[in-house]
Amino acid sequence: MVSSTVRFLGDDVIIIDMGRRMRVLGTTVVGGRGSARYVIMGRVRGYVEDFTLYATALASSTGAPPGTPVFLTAADLRRSYVRSSCELDGISVEVHATFGLSGMACLGEEDRGRVGAGTVNVLVITSARMSWMGMLDALRSISEAKGALSVLSG
């Protein structure tokens, strides 16, 4: 069974400890391919000129090792973060996500009380042994779901 530990550092950082190093593939700012034990979700509150430098510094400030995957969003992490898990036929899956689909979901976007597309970050942890091609196919499916969610939200 997959079971990670989640820790909030204030209002702007979530550290997800997967319990051991696992293969990773994703659309994170840094650390999107390789292996990692930790994943960070961070809130950006202002203009960032170099997202790679920002994400690397954020990971370092938490004590996470170099290359730790970092997701970034302008969304309020306390309101937008969700976690869910299930197990079927001996395979467990755990999903961590932030959904910035309303208000100040994007930097520079005015809060007009409307729902609109913004940042959707999704981390899926599974006990299934997957090839890189299998992981790529799963990433494609997640990206399609993110796109559909953005379209459906307005």
Side-chain angles (χ1 to χ4, degrees), residues 6-9 12-16 39-41 77 81 98:
V6 177
R7 187 167 43 118
F8 276 81
L9 295 182
D12 292 346
V13 178
I14 299 170
I15 299 176
I16 301 164
V39 175
I40 295 172
M41 294 187 170
L77 292 176
Y81 171 75
T98 59

Side-chain angles (χ1 to χ4, degrees), residues 19-95:
R20 63 182 171 86
R21 288 188 75 80
M22 300 181 81
R23 290 173 58 197
V24 296
L25 178 64
T27 57
T28 56
V29 177
V30 295
R33 184 173 189 274
S35 66
R37 175 176 176 159
Y38 304 95
V39 175
I40 295 172
M41 294 187 170
R43 183 175 186 187
V44 177
R45 291 186 177 259
Y47 174 77
V48 174
E49 186 168 327
D50 184 336
F51 279 100
T52 301
L53 183 62
Y54 182 89
T56 301
L58 177 63
S60 178
S61 75
T62 68
T68 295
V70 177
F71 289 100
L72 295 175
T73 183
D76 180 335
L77 292 176
R78 296 251 180 214
R79 289 185 4 201
S80 69
Y81 171 75
V82 295
R83 174 184 184 175
S84 186
S85 63
C86 68
E87 186 169 347
L88 180 65
D89 296 331
I91 296 176
S92 59
V93 176
E94 188 174 88
V95 176

